[in-house]
């Protein structure tokens, strides 16, 4: 197999864990690759001679059997953007803080690698949000695992986002912005703005306003077969749109449409994984003396 490792600005205290991971794969005769952003973290290890570096343009991604994301949830989102329509399975190792997506602790690296090589895993398909726009945006990477967001660009007045579902008028949101989240992204920015938690295998989008001026405006869950379009108004000439952690300014003349992407993100999950266990642990549910 060909296994790609990806990480961004890995702290020195985690380098030994990366070396441990590489050694497990090398011992089993697997081909190990790293991205250019991860290579400085393994450059001074004894394994560097047997490791290939994937170019920044991702040439060769289609030959990978697995991609291992080393970092936090942000790194895993970046990994998904690199994998794109190749749908290479992604495993997230958590060296960050929250870890809703990257769920493997650094102490479990060796066991996770062994389970992966032995086939003791399942693949979980996660839907992606797709942006269609009247001008090219995001260098062709017009999809995201978590959410699409419209946001005011500065700290001045709010914006108005006129929103339509399959051509039918939904609402005009007077707010700082608007989020369209996938089920995976329901534990991210949407959650912090009061959006509901959605099971990752649900077939929905969540539309969540950011700091709405009208207090009776609430998030709404719609089918992910829907096409969502917008008209934006505001005193500023520019607004920000983002896909996960990538953002770019636009003006109100740009036409925007959100729908479900044709391909999915495939996340590697091991038998002891439970989404609901993760929720309880990360959100501290049940920390009550009565339990």
């Amino acid at each position: 197999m060909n296994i790609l490792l990806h990480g961004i600005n890995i702290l020195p205290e985690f380098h030994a864990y990366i070396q441990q991971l590489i050694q497990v794969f090398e011992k089993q005769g697997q081909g190990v690759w790293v991205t250019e952003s991860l290579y400085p973290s393994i450059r001074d290890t004894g394994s560097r001679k047997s490791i290939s570096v994937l170019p920044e343009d991702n040439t060769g991604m289609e030959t990978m059997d697995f991609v291992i994301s080393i970092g936090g949830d942000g790194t895993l989102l970046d990994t998904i953007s690199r994998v794109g329509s190749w749908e290479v399975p992604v495993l997230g190792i958590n060296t960050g803080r929250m870890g809703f997506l990257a769920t493997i602790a650094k102490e479990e690296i060796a066991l996770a690698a062994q389970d992966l090589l032995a086939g003791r895993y399942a693949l979980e398909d996660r839907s992606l949000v797709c942006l269609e726009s009247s001008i090219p945006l995001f260098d062709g990477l017009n999809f995201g695992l978590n959410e699409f967001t419209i946001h005011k660009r500065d700290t001045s007045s709010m914006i108005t986002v006129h929103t339509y579902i399959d051509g039918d008028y939904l609402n005009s949101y007077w707010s700082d912005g608007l989020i369209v989240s996938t089920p995976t992204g329901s534990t991210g920015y949407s959650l912090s703005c009061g959006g509901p938690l959605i099971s990752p295998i649900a077939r929905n989008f969540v539309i969540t306003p950011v700091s709405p001026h009208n207090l009776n405006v609430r998030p709404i869950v719609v089918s992910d077969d829907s096409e969502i379009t917008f008209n934006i108004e505001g005193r500023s000439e520019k607004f920000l749109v983002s896909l996960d952690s990538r953002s770019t300014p636009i003006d109100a003349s740009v036409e925007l449409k959100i729908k479900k992407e044709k391909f999915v993100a495939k996340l590697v999950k091991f038998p002891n994984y439970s989404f609901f266990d993760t929720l309880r642990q990360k959100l501290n549910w049940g920390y009550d003396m009565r339990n």
Side-chain angles (χ1 to χ4, degrees):
M1 292 192 298
N2 286 324
I3 299 172
L4 174 66
L5 310 182
H6 174 57
I8 304 171
N9 299 324
I10 302 295
L11 296 175
E13 55 262 36
F14 295 111
H15 291 184
Y17 294 100
I18 299 174
Q19 175 66 11
Q20 181 186 23
L21 184 63
I22 292 172
Q23 288 175 347
V24 172
F25 291 135
E26 288 183 332
K27 186 176 181 180
Q28 296 295 323
Q30 310 302 326
V32 180
W33 295 64
V34 299
T35 57
E36 289 186 359
S37 59
L38 181 62
Y39 182 70
S41 298
I42 59 96
R43 184 170 47 205
D44 299 326
T45 69
S47 300
R48 67 183 185 278
K49 293 182 180 179
S50 60
I51 292 177
S52 302
V53 179
L54 192 78
E56 196 63 33
D57 63 2
N58 295 323
T59 300
M61 180 67 76
E62 69 279 5
T63 68
M64 298 297 132
D65 295 287
F66 295 95
V67 181
I68 298 181
S69 170
I70 304 170
D73 286 351
T75 303
L76 194 140
L77 293 175
D78 184 69
T79 303
I80 294 299
S81 71
R82 289 171 177 260
V83 170
S85 60
W86 286 301
E87 294 189 341
V88 181
V90 175
L91 171 64
I93 293 177
N94 184 27
T95 64
R97 294 181 294 273
M98 204 62 171
F100 273 108
L101 300 174
T103 56
I104 303 301
K106 57 184 183 297
E107 296 83 8
E108 302 170 338
I109 282 179
L111 179 59
Q114 293 166 7
D115 286 343
L116 188 68
L117 294 175
R120 294 188 291 265
Y121 64 88
L123 296 181
E124 191 171 87
D125 290 351
R126 298 291 184 94
S127 61
L128 303 167
V129 64
C130 172
L131 169 66
E132 291 184 356
S133 55
S134 56
I135 62 172
L137 297 173
F138 301 107
D139 297 323
L141 295 176
N142 63 327
F143 59 90
L145 177 61
N146 266 5
E147 72 269 316
F148 167 78
T149 305
I150 300 169
H151 209 281
K152 66 178 186 179
R153 192 178 181 186
D154 49 40
T155 58
S156 61
S157 61
M158 69 185 73
I159 60 176
T160 307
V161 184
H162 306 290
T163 306
Y164 302 81
I165 307 294
D166 295 325
D168 290 335
Y169 175 65
L170 172 64
N171 190 26
S172 294
Y173 293 94
W174 293 67
S175 62
D176 285 352
L178 193 68
I179 305 165
V180 179
S181 165
T182 66
T184 300
S186 70
T187 59
Y189 190 19
S190 176
L191 175 63
S192 69
C193 293
L197 293 169
I198 304 291
S199 170
I201 60 174
R203 295 174 52 85
N204 301 113
F205 288 138
V206 182
I207 301 175
T208 306
V210 180
S211 302
H213 184 262
N214 298 320
L215 298 182
N216 60 345
V217 173
R218 293 292 182 263
I220 183 171
V221 179
V222 300
S223 167
D224 65 5
D225 289 328
S226 305
E227 293 187 349
I228 307 170
T229 54
F230 315 93
N231 290 326
I232 311 171
E233 294 181 16
R235 294 179 182 177
S236 174
E237 296 181 358
K238 295 287 186 179
F239 313 96
L240 283 178
V241 293
S242 66
L243 284 167
D244 292 343
S245 57
R246 295 168 284 127
S247 62
T248 187
I250 64 167
D251 60 47
S253 68
V254 179
E255 298 177 4
L256 304 169
K257 178 191 291 185
I258 290 298
K259 62 182 183 178
K260 182 172 64 176
E261 183 56 90
K262 295 178 181 178
F263 54 87
V264 298
K266 294 184 177 293
L267 300 187
V268 175
K269 299 299 178 185
F270 295 114
N272 60 348
Y273 168 79
S274 167
F275 171 72
F276 302 108
D277 285 346
T278 301
L279 281 184
R280 287 195 302 272
Q281 294 168 9
K282 303 301 181 181
L283 299 180
N284 294 325
W285 285 1
Y287 282 80
D288 189 298
M289 62 182 300
R290 292 170 295 180
N291 293 328

